[in-house]
Amino acid sequence: MTAKSIQVQDGSITGSLSGEAYRQAARSWLAANLPASFRSDSTAFVPPTLEQAAAWEAALYRAGLAGITWPTAYGGHGRTLREHLIANQEIGALPIPESVNSIGKELAGPIILAVGTEAQKQRFLPAILDMSNIWCQGFSEPEAGSDLAGLRTRAVRDGHIWRVNGQKIWTSGAYRAQRCLLLARTGPVEDRHRGLALFAVPLDAAGVRVRTIKSIDGKENFCEVFFDNVEVAQEDALGAPDEGWAAAIRVLAIERATNRMYRAWRFENELRHLVAACKADPILAELVQERHYAARLAETLVDIEVLKAHVETAVDALVAGESIGARGSLAKLHWSETHQRFAALALELLSKASLPLRPAVRVAQRRFEGLYLHSRAETIYAGTTEIQLGIIADRILELSRGK
């Protein structure tokens, strides 16, 4: 299909575009519609409010750049996973804020498509895409962070409802969410991997309490969520009660392998921004030419290319009908460690800038100071580095424990 086939009508990408034509349509729409104030590499950058962020994501959906692979019967665009990857590459190449509903679109939605009833798909999926329902993920607990099998939040069947009691922690964005993808125990703790169930819990239900946690960057995105005898309707139970562990593992495989598929292209944008800011400063311009820093920047670029390969390999596997399984841990381990090293390098370089600061350096410092603080958590959430290494050792390398 040629570029002449591109169709962008009424603010949406339409027609049977694929490959480069779809990429060009996506790029054109983003260039025409991205607010200048959303660009974090610009002096005009202003963090969007929740309402502005939600409106932007709803516009992305209407344009055909979200819900790309979901069936049209549930509000999706019915396109291919390769087109989903293309959209992520184009979105990732831009310095724009992260999604405020990535849990809904990249975790809850796929699991509902996999194990939800027809009524649940009709009820939940369109609301995720049009941003009328923002989701959070209730997996981690005070005594069971990455070790999900140790979680103690309990769901007990009581006639036609479930009663939920317990506590979740490090729940990103719970304060702004309408639904929580909750993993709860329905059997004995000793059974670990049995007797777990997933629920779509409304956060305005009686007995739910959300308390924000202030993090080192001054933000209050992480939350504690308390469930005190919360009544959850059977129609909000996702999948069979005893299959919660399998469903949770499927969620985490998605999260570790394909969640925020644009990461590698976002990291590349950050690297280019750092180098451009350095070139605007006489001291930094010389510094990035020195062997030590040139090598570290080159290593970052190589790491980004490896991460791109992880993503593209995962897409190839999914297109071929294969599951991601433990291979998701390879991608999670690589991106989190890579990004943490890059953020530290960026701050180290920018701290050596000449004074007074050039505007380009000031903008970069603002962006990368926030990125550095956020990156400290990246080797912890979605499964710590230690958990990923254990999964790789056990399930991919099949190493014997204790050797």
Side-chain angles (χ1 to χ4, degrees):
M1 187 169 287
T2 69
K4 293 181 179 178
S5 304
I6 295 171
Q7 302 168 60
V8 182
Q9 297 174 348
D10 300 327
S12 299
I13 300 170
T14 61
S16 56
L17 301 180
S18 61
E20 283 307 305
Y22 179 76
R23 182 186 302 282
Q24 290 300 326
R27 189 174 296 174
S28 298
W29 189 91
L30 288 165
N33 292 279
L34 175 65
S37 64
F38 278 26
R39 295 189 63 105
S40 55
D41 65 351
S42 163
T43 55
F45 174 71
V46 178
T49 64
L50 176 59
E51 290 73 21
Q52 290 171 329
W56 164 247
E57 290 189 47
L60 283 174
Y61 160 59
R62 290 193 299 272
L65 297 172
I68 296 165
T69 62
W70 294 12
T72 55
Y74 311 124
H77 297 292
R79 294 184 181 273
T80 69
L81 190 59
R82 295 195 192 285
E83 288 159 346
H84 177 75
L85 173 58
I86 288 171
N88 271 262
Q89 290 169 336
E90 295 303 316
I91 292 170
L94 297 168
I96 54 180
E98 300 284 356
S99 164
V100 295
N101 200 15
S102 63
I103 299 295
K105 289 185 281 191
E106 300 186 355
L107 296 178
I111 205 68
I112 292 167
L113 279 167
V115 305
T117 64
E118 179 63 23
Q120 288 172 336
K121 294 173 186 175
Q122 295 285 353
R123 184 159 56 106
F124 291 133
L125 297 178
I128 291 173
L129 293 175
D130 69 16
M131 295 295 290
S132 56
N133 263 203
I134 295 175
W135 287 58
C136 63
Q137 179 188 15
F139 280 23
S140 295
E141 297 190 2
E143 297 181 7
S146 294
D147 181 17
L148 291 181
L151 67 82
R152 295 174 182 274
T153 293
R154 178 166 293 281
V156 177
R157 191 70 181 264
D158 183 4
H160 297 295
I161 64 167
W162 292 86
R163 292 192 181 279
V164 176
N165 285 280
Q167 178 190 355
K168 298 292 176 178
I169 195 167
W170 309 122
T171 310
S172 301
Y175 71 92
R176 64 181 179 234
Q178 284 78 46
R179 289 270 172 181
C180 177
L181 181 65
L182 179 78
L183 185 63
R185 183 166 295 286
T186 53
V189 174
E190 292 72 22
D191 282 353
R192 289 182 62 80
H193 297 168
R194 297 178 60 190
L196 293 170
L198 276 173
F199 298 91
V201 179
L203 288 181
D204 62 355
V208 176
R209 182 163 58 93
V210 177
R211 186 165 66 191
T212 58
I213 301 171
K214 194 168 188 176
S215 50
I216 193 171
D217 57 3
K219 298 179 180 176
E220 294 185 281
N221 186 51
F222 292 119
C223 301
E224 292 178 284
V225 186
F226 301 89
F227 300 88
D228 182 11
N229 209 29
V230 176
E231 294 184 6
V232 179
Q234 174 59 30
E235 64 185 15
D236 289 338
L238 300 173
D242 292 333
E243 295 176 5
W245 175 254
I249 292 301
R250 188 181 306 179
V251 170
L252 290 173
I254 293 168
E255 182 178 29
R256 290 165 182 164
T258 63
N259 172 271
R260 300 186 183 181
M261 198 178 278
Y262 54 75
R263 275 196 182 95
W265 290 268
R266 179 63 47 78
F267 295 175
E268 186 175 47
N269 175 279
E270 292 166 352
L271 177 61
R272 292 184 186 282
H273 181 192
L274 175 65
V275 172
C278 288
K279 288 182 176 178
D281 180 275
I283 293 177
L284 297 181
E286 288 188 15
L287 213 51
V288 294
Q289 300 295 328
E290 289 183 1
R291 186 171 182 175
H292 172 70
Y293 285 109
R296 290 173 68 184
L297 290 168
E299 287 169 1
T300 302
L301 187 57
V302 171
D303 280 335
I304 290 170
E305 292 302 316
V306 172
L307 181 56
K308 288 180 180 177
H310 274 303
V311 173
E312 288 162 352
T313 300
V315 169
D316 287 343
L318 290 169
V319 169
E322 302 171 15
S323 64
I324 297 299
R327 287 179 292 175
S329 290
L330 292 171
K332 202 285 172 176
L333 177 68
H334 187 75
W335 74 251
S336 59
E337 294 286 339
T338 292
H339 205 218
Q340 207 167 77
R341 283 195 300 273
F342 168 70
L345 171 60
L347 270 200
E348 181 181 328
L349 269 170
L350 293 170
S351 69
K352 300 177 185 298
S354 52
L355 296 175
L357 293 177
R358 269 65 174 174
V361 174
R362 192 178 301 116
V363 168
Q365 280 193 346
R366 179 198 62 205
R367 183 182 188 187
F368 292 115
E369 283 174 356
L371 186 149
Y372 173 82
L373 293 174
H374 182 78
S375 74
R376 310 317 295 168
E378 290 177 331
T379 51
I380 298 174
Y381 65 65
T384 65
T385 285
E386 289 74 16
I387 288 289
Q388 307 313 320
L389 290 172
I391 291 171
I392 292 167
D394 287 347
R395 302 181 201 169
I396 296 178
L397 299 177
E398 299 182 345
L399 299 177
S400 300
R401 289 183 179 272
K403 294 185 178 179

